Amino acid sequence: MAIDDSVSEIRKKSARGIKWQVSTEIFARLLQLVITFALARLLTPNDFGLIGMALIFTQLAFVLFDLGLSSALIQKKDLQPGHARSAQIVFWINALIFYVLVFVGAPALARFFRQPQLSAVLRFLAVIFFLFALRAVANVYLTRAMRFKAIGLIRLLSVGMYGLLSVGLAYLNYGVWSFVVGIVGQELVLTVLTVILAGTFVWPRWEWQKLKELSLFGGQVLGSRIMGYMNINLPNVLIGRFLGASTLGIYSVGYQLVDFPVQRISKNILRVMFPAFSRIQDNTPEYRRLYRDTVRGLALIVFPIFAGMALVAPEFVTVFYGPKWQQLIRVLEILTVVGLARSVWVTCSVVFLSKGKPHWEFLINFIYFIVLGIALYVIYTHGLIAVVCTISLLLLFFVGIALVLSLRLIPLTLKNWFDLIRTPLIATVAFSALLLALRFWGINGLPLLLRFLLLIVTGAAVYLIVVYLTDKQAFGLFRRALGRKKNG
């Protein structure tokens, strides 16, 4: 089937795609939060830390085995069957290689972290590499066709499977294996449904010329992904090695919470907009217009989420996680800065990718990795809070560099960019000031759950009112982002 590349059709598909991706991912994440709350009650921080250690290495394999070829397949204008067949054989070869590497290296990794159980966990999880390889090309086809409704529903169903398996096994006292079986079940559902809905299965065949065409762009994307992965997981390695599994459990849960808007909103917008931006990469006026709409819509959603998360952290953690997680409160408050910075980074990344400049992002990530590694090695002896503060400050600095460089490619100025976020920024400051005032004036005496609900409802109402009064056009964009259309 031919793909309509007209600007108007791309904009329509992008708008529908964002609505479906964001809405289904919000539902998926809410379901995941419920699952996490249940698991936090049934399991211990040590269990969370142990699975966090395992995921460091399985996620690395996921980044590496793709070699950036999926992005190259999506970005390529004249995609031919030979490109997909060549990529498929690479996926299968790499899945086998990384399965063997993890299986053989698992005992050494368990000794490094001083966690004997980690070896068996890693070996069991290694099967997901083959599931990644099986669905990779099918997912590319769904993405190129901008079938984001199907992608979102598949994601939602897979999270449901994860919840059934993990919570059920946790209730039966299977400890960390509750996570392991849940993750494999989730990946199996993702793979089966993706292949079925794509309606095609690509048989691998080596075509060197086609692979060579994909490799230049894919290699640059791979380098950027590797550095991004290392920047995210370097703190996990240091915390797990030097501060212990329980401390890593606290950090990983806090990071997962702030990662929710990044993964479920910001990065899903990236998944939708990457094929759209790639198709109009040479049409500067339309590219700039689509970028403006994307940044404004994203800022309207994520700014209040991160500010609200920081402001209600004491109530949120106590109500939903319980007393054994009190250390999480301060960590979560600080990590909201990381979440906001990473959301901005996503908008930079889509520009670098669609404009064919992934090596710019790689260079920024590489320098950040070197600086972060040195800083964390010096600071980790001061404890988890010092580590989290260091990560937040350094990430803000390097996101600023990425933003300036990405704006040059559009082109836009920093003033143009701040104009785009002015309304959500003003509204966020307004509701944050009010919530801080409510705390100062004595709502801390209210019952915990009532205080939590009061802060949430008051903050949301003030934010929407200020957005409406400040910029009615932005309010309309916010309504459309939530899938609500004006009557008439």
Side-chain angles (χ1 to χ4, degrees):
M1 180 182 293
I3 297 176
D4 189 343
D5 283 325
S6 67
V7 172
S8 60
E9 184 62 21
I10 290 173
R11 291 178 66 86
K12 288 178 183 178
K13 286 186 176 181
S14 299
R16 290 196 299 268
I18 288 175
K19 290 176 184 177
W20 274 106
Q21 279 289 92
V22 172
S23 59
T24 54
E25 285 294 337
I26 286 176
F27 280 119
R29 184 53 181 175
L30 289 175
L31 178 58
Q32 279 190 322
L33 283 176
V34 173
I35 295 167
T36 302
F37 298 153
L39 293 174
R41 297 283 181 173
L42 294 168
L43 303 174
T44 67
N46 190 75
D47 293 322
F48 279 83
L50 188 56
I51 195 64
M53 293 173 185
L55 291 178
I56 291 172
F57 303 100
T58 56
Q59 289 171 357
L60 173 60
F62 173 68
V63 169
L64 291 175
F65 100 92
D66 178 83
L67 297 180
L69 294 179
S70 292
S71 294
L73 290 169
I74 295 171
Q75 197 263 357
K76 192 165 184 60
K77 292 182 178 180
D78 55 339
L79 185 68
Q80 300 171 16
H83 294 114
R85 288 194 293 264
S86 299
Q88 184 66 73
I89 195 169
V90 173
F91 294 152
W92 281 114
I93 292 171
N94 285 350
L96 178 60
I97 290 172
F98 287 112
Y99 177 85
V100 172
L101 287 175
V102 170
F103 193 90
V104 172
L109 294 172
R111 288 193 296 271
F112 175 80
F113 282 106
R114 305 187 185 97
Q115 296 288 336
Q117 195 177 6
L118 182 60
S119 178
V121 169
L122 281 167
R123 286 177 166 178
F124 192 92
L125 283 174
V127 71
I128 65 178
F129 303 151
F130 295 106
L131 299 178
F132 291 156
L134 183 60
R135 72 171 183 265
V137 173
N139 190 63
V140 166
Y141 283 144
L142 289 178
T143 303
R144 281 182 63 89
M146 305 187 79
R147 293 179 59 188
F148 297 109
K149 177 180 178 180
I151 293 172
L153 291 176
I154 290 170
R155 169 68 180 165
L156 189 58
L157 290 172
S158 71
V159 172
M161 177 59 71
Y162 169 76
L164 287 174
L165 292 173
S166 61
V167 175
L169 290 173
Y171 182 76
L172 295 174
N173 297 318
Y174 278 87
V176 71
W177 289 99
S178 309
F179 291 111
V180 176
V181 176
I183 290 169
V184 173
Q186 179 180 8
E187 296 298 333
L188 181 62
V189 170
L190 276 172
T191 300
V192 171
L193 293 181
T194 298
V195 172
I196 290 174
L197 290 180
T200 184
F201 181 80
V202 176
W203 291 101
R205 190 173 74 188
W206 192 272
E207 296 186 33
W208 174 248
Q209 185 57 39
K210 301 297 184 187
L211 187 61
K212 186 178 179 180
E213 293 175 11
L214 298 173
S215 296
L216 179 60
F217 183 86
Q220 294 174 351
V221 172
L222 174 64
S224 181
R225 284 182 179 175
I226 291 173
M227 295 313 307
Y229 162 86
M230 293 175 72
N231 290 335
I232 291 173
N233 285 281
L234 179 61
N236 293 333
V237 173
L238 290 176
I239 293 170
R241 178 68 173 86
F242 296 111
L243 301 181
S246 294
T247 303
L248 178 58
I250 297 292
Y251 174 80
S252 63
V253 168
Y255 195 91
Q256 288 170 21
L257 286 170
V258 299
D259 203 40
F260 153 50
V262 179
Q263 295 288 348
R264 311 310 173 207
I265 300 176
S266 304
K267 285 200 172 181
N268 275 295
I269 290 177
L270 168 62
R271 292 187 185 103
V272 174
M273 301 314 297
F274 175 41
F277 277 115
S278 295
R279 291 191 197 178
I280 60 173
Q281 57 187 280
D282 299 322
N283 188 336
T284 299
E286 287 298 331
Y287 190 101
R288 188 184 294 119
R289 184 188 307 175
L290 195 57
Y291 176 84
R292 288 178 183 270
D293 289 345
T294 302
V295 170
R296 290 182 73 198
L298 181 62
L300 284 165
I301 296 172
V302 301
F303 275 38
I305 288 176
F306 286 118
M309 193 179 293
L311 290 165
V312 303
E315 291 79 14
F316 177 81
V317 170
T318 305
V319 169
F320 294 103
Y321 285 87
K324 62 184 177 183
W325 291 89
Q326 289 302 294
Q327 285 181 277
L328 176 61
I329 294 174
R330 183 58 59 84
V331 171
L332 178 58
E333 290 171 340
I334 301 170
L335 282 177
T336 54
V337 176
V338 172
L340 183 59
R342 289 193 63 214
S343 291
V344 175
W345 193 299
V346 166
T347 65
C348 304
S349 183
V350 74
V351 173
F352 292 139
L353 288 174
S354 60
K355 287 290 190 179
K357 302 289 186 181
H359 55 288
W360 288 20
E361 185 175 14
F362 168 79
L363 183 60
I364 298 169
N365 269 313
F366 179 74
I367 298 173
Y368 172 56
F369 175 76
I370 299 299
V371 175
L372 180 65
I374 295 171
L376 292 185
Y377 186 76
V378 171
I379 206 73
Y380 83 86
T381 54
H382 295 278
L384 181 58
I385 297 302
V387 169
V388 173
C389 289
T390 301
I391 295 168
S392 301
L393 292 174
L394 287 177
L395 185 59
L396 278 177
F397 176 76
F398 281 93
V399 165
I401 295 174
L403 179 62
V404 171
L405 291 177
S406 65
L407 290 175
R408 288 176 55 188
L409 295 172
I410 300 175
L412 288 172
T413 66
L414 269 177
K415 181 181 182 302
N416 297 144
W417 189 82
F418 278 107
D419 287 341
L420 296 176
I421 68 167
R422 182 176 59 239
T423 296
L425 182 60
I426 292 172
T428 299
V429 170
F431 91 76
S432 299
L434 178 60
L435 295 192
L436 290 173
L438 287 175
R439 285 192 182 282
F440 180 75
W441 287 331
I443 70 163
N444 290 335
L446 295 176
L448 196 63
L449 181 59
L450 178 60
R451 188 164 77 233
F452 174 72
L453 294 175
L454 177 63
L455 291 170
I456 292 290
V457 172
T458 303
V462 171
Y463 179 79
L464 292 174
I465 291 171
V466 175
V467 169
Y468 180 78
L469 294 176
T470 305
D471 188 345
K472 291 183 174 59
Q473 184 180 8
F475 185 78
L477 180 63
F478 185 76
R479 286 168 56 92
R480 291 194 296 275
L482 296 178
R484 300 177 178 273
K485 298 181 179 180
K486 293 182 180 180
N487 294 328

